[in-house]
């Protein structure tokens, strides 16, 4: 450990003493006398502060070089070097002497309180840290006096206290006390002990020392030295190396005590903690010589048979040499128990003591270890603020463990209570560098971070993240510096963590909270079951339909994936919007199919049992009846109505089944659960449900298998009448029992067919295993010429699988390859979107179809005449040789499989060849058929699955061509002709609608006919469904009194009459001027014209007030029917009288009242004026411009600086 350390630094710059190796060594040898001088200097300086001139002397004018070299001239030479007034000391309290050893309390609890108390009491600054050996290191810095006091307090309060006594002649006590007790105080401070000396009247010569073990030893040594010096008897000092001192002292100082008794000499051996080698002997001359001789003898004996040697090893490697729990070291010490191995904290060497031979062996072993470790290991230390340590460590240490594993290093992060920033990385040199780099990057990112937890219901997380994460990406782009962490969906947590710069995190939080608020409002959701085959119609080409529904209803619509067998479409949004979208989707389905909907009444108490656990029962009925949709009312609604939707005959079937079951349920319902391994289910159900249907027909019971969503995958439920269920149970149990009876069998398969079974990672075998209860089929490894295939599984399954393999082989044996010639230009349309049509044919006919490679630029060969169905003339071998126009390679499609299947597939392919027909459509309708941006034609092409081509406008042709499958063409043609009829009807209607009429009306009435913001005219337009055009005021060429009305003839006439009626009313109107005192205008008009509008509405008149600056400010004009005008004028004049009385009163009052500050402030403000200001001294007598936001910026708002031609002002 490090004893109290005190160093006075000599640096003129810093005020903190620096701890160097030399000063450290100096201290250890007990030289620490400078302190006293330091304080003296400082106190002297503090009393008379230097003058300004002294402190900041002007530089010498110009000293000649030579002189400068010897002695800097002028006042500079007088300056005294400033000594550091702050010193730093470090002490170490070993684990066994720590008062508070409870590890959990580090940084809290008693220890911390004591330290705070010491800091307040003494004014020194304390820093605690835990060393590796769990000792306590305390660094104390401050003024010398404070440090010494603090040290004493620390020893007294943080270290366990021991006490010892030392006996010296009574007459020497006063030398220990010193003048005015100074020596004693100094000794106590230096050794951090309490020394009690008996009073002069007490005959005892025992001095009691209390303190730490180390302190006691030191104090005792010092006291004995003082005593020895006072002893007038002979004194001899003997220099003996420190390591031999224990041998001289003996166990528990037994040897030295015996020596002292025998010889009557005092022998003073310095304690281990004091770095002195000399042993002091005091006593009578002869006895003293005898004692010295005895000590020398012990020393010489030991020196010959005993060796001390050291191995240099960097101190950071020590823990690896010692090993986990000292394992490595134990190996050496067990072999050589006499060798003592010592590691000194902070020193790069290991000391060995013991018999010479043993020491040499141990030294060799340790050297080998060190060498190996140095080659393999390196270390680095980095500084990272301790508050980020837990982020570096990561959740459950995930982050740090990843770095440790990745770079093969060990990382030591100090425990939280140490408050230390030093992280140490040790291990493979390259790994250490990489780990260091990564940790520093992580730390720098966290430097200015804040972490905030947002509570967001988990169900919204997916929405916030968005499909494929596009919404969260948007948020992250908006707040690039914020890290947003969503919890793992499995953890069911609602806490979303934001981390990043404080203000960014705040902004992001607000943004996300607003988003969540919107989501909550928009998160109503309903599910609509729609038959799978209509999903594509709901989606529309390129998603056009679904997009339109989404946009118009403002909802989110999720469709199940193509390959899933779910039919449910989920709509999410505001409730009303969801209902509207659902209505539209159902309407599409209804239109497309002969979907019927029937309602069946079933007592609501039976609904739950009909639905079954998690809907398993009802699902099995829906699947059996071709996938109809059965909808039960929501629970608790009390309704008995169950809705069945689907194709007519399926609905009937489902209705019968439901009613039958309901009846059965009411009379006698019985269920039994069976268990069977999931892999057997497919086999039990049989191909296309054959096996299970047999059991159902025989017994009349329903059998329900688990779906992929069910938790319990082994559970099979049988329902029905008791005897039916038991019967079915018996049959199924027999089947399952057979399945559990595992057999192994083999069959012969010609090696040439093996590839078919194992290609595509054994897809065919996987399918067989799925279908036949998980049968294991093993083919011999490729390369061995064996033809034996083994099957292992349930007996029935193995048999069935063998049969299936036989069938596949027969198919392969009977496989032929035929060619089908179809021009290359049609290949794409035959394949269908993503090859779906071709996949359908290969599945239906069990054949393989290979398309030729495309020929990039086919040579312009004259095409042979293609017949209507797309078969080219000249097919077959003979044709090839004779006919020069034999099919091109890129037109030949190859089909392989069984002959009859190939032929059928060929026909199916040829049926897919598109055919073209022409339809005559008048040219002027083409643009309407194409529609806005081609939307009309696209819709027809999607609906009829054909391609429609309209000739270019410049050709003026009436012929439209339709290309597609023969089956679709008739529908498409009929659809096109229907559209033509519609358009022709529209044209005729348009002609009728474009009847025009003009009315002559004096322009002064136009504003009245138009009305406020066009209200009057809009009403006439909508009521009569016409368009009304007023003349353009700026256009001189137009007659200004003509109004044009366009629409159906009778509508136009009705609109004309409505306009003329208004004009008639307007012509009867009169205008009168009335004089109203201008002071009451504002009150009559009212706030925002509210009062005047009320009057105008009440009397059906128009009132105009003069504009400011009019020649007669009191003239008001009233317009309307004569009797209304009279009444309105009376009413206004009454008001004027009433309001004027108030105005006169107010004016009379104003005379007595002092003008309000409001009035004063109307006067232009002079601003803030000062005399003798800097700008006043210059000639341009200009006050500061207070309106300038640059000279007088407002608080908080950012001011854009004025841009000057020369860039910003410096």
């Amino acid at each position: 450990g490090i004893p109290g350390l005190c160093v006075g630094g000599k640096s003129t710059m810093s005020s903190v003493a620096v701890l160097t190796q030399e000063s450290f060594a100096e201290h250890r040898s007990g030289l620490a006398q400078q302190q006293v001088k330091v304080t003296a200097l400082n106190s002297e300086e503090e009393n008379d502060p230097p003058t300004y001139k002294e402190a900041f002397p002007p530089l010498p004018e110009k000293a000649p070089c030579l002189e400068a070299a010897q002695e800097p001239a002028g006042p500079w030479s007088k300056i005294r070097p400033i000594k550091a007034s702050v010193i730093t000391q470090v002490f170490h309290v070993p684990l066994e002497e720590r008062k508070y050893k409870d590890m959990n309390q580090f940084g809290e609890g008693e220890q911390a309180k004591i330290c705070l108390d010491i800091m307040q009491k003494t004014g020194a600054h304390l820093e605690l840290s835990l060393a590796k050996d769990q000792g306590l290191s305390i660094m104390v810095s401050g003024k010398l006096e404070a440090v010494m006091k603090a040290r004493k307090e620390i020893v007294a309060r943080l270290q366990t206290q021991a006490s010892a006594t030392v006996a010296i002649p009574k007459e020497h006590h006063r030398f220990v006390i010193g003048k005015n007790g100074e020596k004693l105080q100094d000794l106590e401070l230096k050794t951090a002990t309490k020394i009690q000396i008996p009073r002069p009247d007490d005959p005892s010569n025992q001095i009691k020392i209390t303190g730490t073990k180390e302190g006691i030893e030191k104090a005792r040594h010092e006291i004995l030295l003082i005593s020895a010096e006072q002893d007038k008897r002979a004194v001899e000092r003997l220099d003996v190396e420190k390591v031999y001192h224990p041998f001289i002292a003996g166990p528990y100082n037994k040897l030295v005590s015996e020596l002292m008794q025998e010889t009557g000499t005092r022998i003073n051996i310095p304690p281990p903690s004091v770095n002195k080698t000399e042993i002091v002997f005091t006593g009578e001359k002869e006895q003293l010589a005898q004692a010295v001789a005895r000590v020398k003898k012990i020393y010489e004996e030991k020196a010959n048979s005993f060796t001390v040697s050291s191995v240099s090893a960097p101190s950071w490697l020590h823990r690896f040499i010692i090993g986990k729990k000292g394992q490595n070291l134990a190996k050496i010490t067990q072999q050589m128990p006499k060798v003592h191995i010592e590691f000194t904290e902070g020193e790069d060497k290991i000391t060995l003591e013991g018999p010479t031979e043993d020491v040499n062996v141990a030294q060799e072993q340790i050297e080998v270890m060190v060498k190996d470790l140095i080659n393999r290991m390196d270390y680095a230390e980095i500084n990272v603020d301790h508050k980020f340590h837990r982020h570096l460590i990561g959740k459950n240490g995930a982050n740090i463990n990843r770095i440790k594993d990745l770079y093969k290093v060990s990382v030591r992060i100090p425990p939280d209570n140490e408050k230390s920033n030093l992280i140490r990385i040790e291990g493979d040199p390259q790994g250490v560098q990489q780990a260091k780099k990564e940790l520093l990057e992580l730390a720098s990112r966290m430097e200015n971070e804040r972490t905030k937890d947002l509570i967001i219901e988990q169900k919204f997380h997916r929405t916030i993240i968005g499909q494929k994460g596009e919404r969260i990406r948007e948020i992250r782009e908006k707040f690039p510096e914020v890290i947003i962490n969503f919890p793992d969906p499995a953890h069911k947590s609602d806490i979303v963590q934001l981390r990043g710069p404080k203000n960014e995190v705040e902004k992001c939080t607000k943004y996300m909270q607003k988003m969540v608020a919107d989501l909550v409002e928009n998160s109503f959701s309903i599910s609509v079951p729609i038959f799978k085959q209509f999903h594509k119609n709901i989606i529309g080409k390129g998603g056009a339909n679904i997009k339109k529904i989404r946009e118009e209803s403002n909802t989110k619509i999720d469709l199940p994936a193509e390959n899933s067998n779910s039919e449910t479409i989920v709509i999410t949004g505001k409730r009303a919007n969801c209902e509207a979208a659902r209505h539209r989707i159902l309407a599409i389905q209804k239109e497309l199919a002969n979907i019927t909907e029937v309602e069946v009444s079933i007592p609501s108490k039976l609904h739950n049992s009909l639905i079954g656990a998690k809907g398993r029962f009802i699902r099995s009925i829906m699947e059996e009846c071709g996938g109809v949709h059965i909808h039960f009312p929501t629970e608790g609604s009390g309704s008995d109505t169950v809705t069945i939707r689907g194709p007519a005959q399926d609905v009937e079937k489902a209705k019968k089944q439901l009613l039958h079951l309901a009846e059965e349920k009411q009379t006698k319902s019985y269920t039994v659960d069976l268990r069977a391994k999931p892999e057997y289910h497919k086999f039990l159900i049989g191909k296309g449900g054959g096996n299970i249907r047999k059991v159902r027909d025989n017994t009349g019971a329903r059998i329900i298998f688990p779906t992929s969503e069910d938790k319990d995958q082994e559970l099979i439920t049988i329902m029905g009448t008791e005897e039916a269920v038991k019967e079915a149970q018996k049959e199924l149990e027999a089947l399952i029992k057979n399945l559990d009876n595992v057999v192994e069998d083999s069959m012969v398969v010609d090696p040439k067919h093996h590839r078919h079974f194992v290609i595509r990672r054994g897809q065919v075998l996987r399918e067989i295993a799925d279908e036949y209860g998980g049968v294991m089929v093993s083919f011999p490894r490729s390369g061995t010429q064996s033809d034996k295939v083994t099957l292992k599984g349930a007996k029935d399954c193995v048999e069935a699988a063998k049969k299936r393999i036989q069938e596949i082989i027969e198919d392969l044996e009977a496989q032929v390859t035929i060619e089908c010639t179809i021009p290359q230009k049609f290949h794409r349309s035959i394949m269908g979107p993503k090859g779906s049509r071709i996949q359908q044919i290969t599945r239906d006919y069990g054949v393989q179809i290979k398309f030729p490679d495309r020929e990039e630029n086919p040579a312009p060969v004259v095409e042979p005449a293609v017949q209507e169905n797309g078969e080219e003339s000249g097919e077959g071998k003979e044709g090839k040789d004779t006919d020069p126009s034999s099919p091109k390679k890129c037109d030949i499609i190859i089909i392989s499989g069984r002959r009859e299947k190939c032929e059928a597939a060929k026909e199916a392919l040829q049926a897919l060849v598109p055919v073209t027909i022409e339809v005559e459509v008048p040219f002027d309708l083409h643009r309407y058929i194409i529609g806005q941006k081609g939307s009309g034609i696209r819709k027809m092409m999607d609906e009829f699955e054909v391609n429609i081509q309209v000739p270019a406008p410049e050709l003026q042709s009436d012929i439209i061509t339709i290309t597609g499958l023969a089956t679709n063409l008739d529908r498409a043609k009929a659809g096109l002709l229907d559209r033509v009829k519609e358009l022709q009807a529209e044209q005729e209607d348009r002609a009728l609608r474009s009847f025009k009429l003009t009315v002559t009306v004096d322009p002064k009435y136009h504003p009245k006919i138009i009305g406020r913001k066009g209200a009057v005219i809009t009403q006439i337009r909508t009521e009569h469904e016409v368009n009304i055009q007023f003349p353009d005021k700026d256009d001189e060429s137009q007659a200004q009194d003509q109004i044009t009305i366009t629409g159906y003839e009778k509508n136009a006439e009705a609109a004309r009459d409505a306009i003329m009626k208004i004009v008639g009313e307007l012509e009867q109107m009169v205008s009168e001027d009335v004089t109203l005192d201008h002071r009451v205008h504002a009150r009559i008009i009212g706030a925002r014209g509210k009062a005047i509008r009320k009057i105008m509405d009440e009397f059906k008149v128009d009132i105009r007030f003069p504009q400011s600056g009019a020649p007669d400010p009191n003239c008001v004009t009233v317009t309307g029917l004569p009797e209304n005008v009279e009444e309105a004028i009376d009413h206004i004049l009454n008001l004027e009288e009433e309001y004027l009385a108030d105005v006169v009163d107010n004016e009379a009052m104003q005379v007595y009242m002092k003008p309000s500050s409001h009035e004063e402030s109307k006067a232009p403000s002079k601003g803030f004026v000062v005399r003798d200001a800097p700008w006043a001294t210059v000639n341009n007598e200009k006050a500061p411009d207070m309106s300038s936001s640059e000279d007088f910026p407002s608080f908080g708002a950012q001011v854009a600086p004025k841009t000057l031609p020369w860039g910003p002002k410096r």
Side-chain angles (χ1 to χ4, degrees), residues 529 531 565 567-568 610-611 614-632 642-647 650-651 653-655 657-658 661 696 702:
F531 293 99
N565 43 16
E567 300 189 324
T568 312
L610 283 176
I611 293 169
K614 294 200 177 138
R616 286 171 60 190
F617 195 49
I618 200 70
R619 238 195 333 262
S620 74
I621 298 177
M622 300 203 293
E623 279 164 18
E624 199 177 315
C625 302
V628 294
H629 292 145
I630 302 176
H631 181 70
F632 283 84
V642 177
T643 318
I644 310 175
R645 251 208 329 272
D650 291 344
V651 167
K653 193 168 158 195
K655 178 177 171 181
Q657 282 222 24
L658 260 185
L661 277 165
R696 266 185 202 166
R702 295 194 66 79

Side-chain angles (χ1 to χ4, degrees), residues 926-944:
H926 288 193
R927 63 199 186 97
Y928 301 113
I929 285 172
I930 292 170
Q932 210 172 8
K933 290 188 181 162
S935 59
I937 201 158
R938 255 205 309 279
K939 186 168 171 240
M940 285 168 77
M941 285 171 16
D942 289 349
E943 199 175 327
F944 304 120

Side-chain angles (χ1 to χ4, degrees), residues 818-1084:
I818 65 168
E819 294 181 349
C820 169
T821 308
I822 293 175
Q824 182 177 354
K825 61 180 179 188
F826 298 133
H827 289 189
R828 275 179 76 170
S829 69
I830 290 173
M831 287 182 186
K834 292 191 183 146
S836 57
R837 290 179 179 163
I838 270 314
Q839 284 163 4
Q840 190 64 41
I841 294 178
T842 54
R843 269 203 301 276
D844 292 353
Y845 299 104
V847 293
Q848 288 183 322
I849 300 176
K850 185 174 185 310
F851 277 79
D853 293 334
R854 288 181 69 88
E855 193 177 272
E856 283 312 314
N857 310 319
V861 180
V862 182
E863 285 268 329
V866 176
Q867 291 161 8
E868 198 54 34
N869 67 354
E871 279 203 286
E872 285 193 11
S873 50
E875 197 188 50
K877 288 253 163 48
E878 314 79 75
K880 273 194 185 173
D881 306 330
T882 55
D883 188 356
S885 62
S886 63
K888 292 212 295 292
K889 197 160 172 213
C890 62
D891 294 344
I892 296 172
I893 300 171
I894 294 167
I895 310 173
S896 48
R898 294 198 149 201
R899 178 167 289 282
E900 63 276 17
K901 296 269 179 80
C902 287
E903 291 300 338
K906 180 174 175 178
E907 274 171 35
L909 272 181
Q910 285 169 340
L912 288 176
V913 173
V915 188
T916 303
I917 56 169
E918 295 184 344
V919 185
E920 201 166 318
V921 175
F923 175 70
D924 54 348
L925 295 181
H926 288 193
R927 63 199 186 97
Y928 301 113
I929 285 172
I930 292 170
Q932 210 172 8
K933 290 188 181 162
S935 59
I937 201 158
R938 255 205 309 279
K939 186 168 171 240
M940 285 168 77
M941 285 171 16
D942 289 349
E943 199 175 327
F944 304 120
E945 295 182 15
V946 292
N947 186 9
I948 303 176
Q949 269 191 317
V950 179
E954 54 270 16
L955 296 176
Q956 298 272 327
S957 157
D958 289 347
I959 302 294
I960 288 182
T961 53
I962 309 179
T963 312
L965 304 185
T967 48
N968 295 340
L969 284 182
D970 296 337
R971 273 176 59 231
K973 182 174 178 178
L976 182 60
L977 292 173
D978 286 349
R979 179 80 182 117
V980 170
K981 278 197 196 116
E982 258 175 54
L983 289 168
Q984 283 169 335
E986 269 177 33
Q987 260 183 333
E988 285 163 24
D989 186 49
R990 231 188 331 261
L992 289 173
R993 246 203 338 261
S994 55
F995 177 76
K996 261 198 181 144
L997 230 177
T998 52
V999 199
T1000 308
V1001 176
D1002 188 335
K1004 71 178 180 196
Y1005 297 134
H1006 289 192
K1008 285 283 174 214
I1009 296 170
I1010 292 169
R1012 189 183 171 138
K1013 290 188 181 159
V1016 180
I1017 201 70
T1018 308
Q1019 198 184 344
I1020 297 175
R1021 278 183 183 142
T1022 47
E1023 207 174 301
H1024 302 289
E1025 293 176 351
V1026 291
N1027 185 8
I1028 304 175
Q1029 216 65 44
F1030 284 84
D1032 190 348
K1033 283 199 186 72
D1034 310 328
D1035 190 352
E1036 296 298 323
S1037 62
Q1038 276 186 338
Q1040 288 294 310
D1041 56 359
Q1042 297 290 320
I1043 297 176
T1044 313
I1045 307 172
T1046 317
Y1048 290 120
E1049 189 170 349
K1050 63 172 192 296
N1051 291 3
E1053 285 169 354
R1056 177 191 60 195
D1057 296 346
I1059 289 176
M1060 291 320 286
K1061 185 175 171 216
I1062 295 174
V1063 172
E1065 279 175 10
L1066 290 172
E1067 280 173 339
Q1068 289 174 16
M1069 285 190 183
V1070 293
S1071 273
E1072 272 192 44
D1073 288 350
V1074 55
T1075 304
L1076 270 190
D1077 192 312
H1078 66 274
R1079 289 172 296 181
V1080 298
H1081 288 193
R1083 285 209 48 191
I1084 291 175

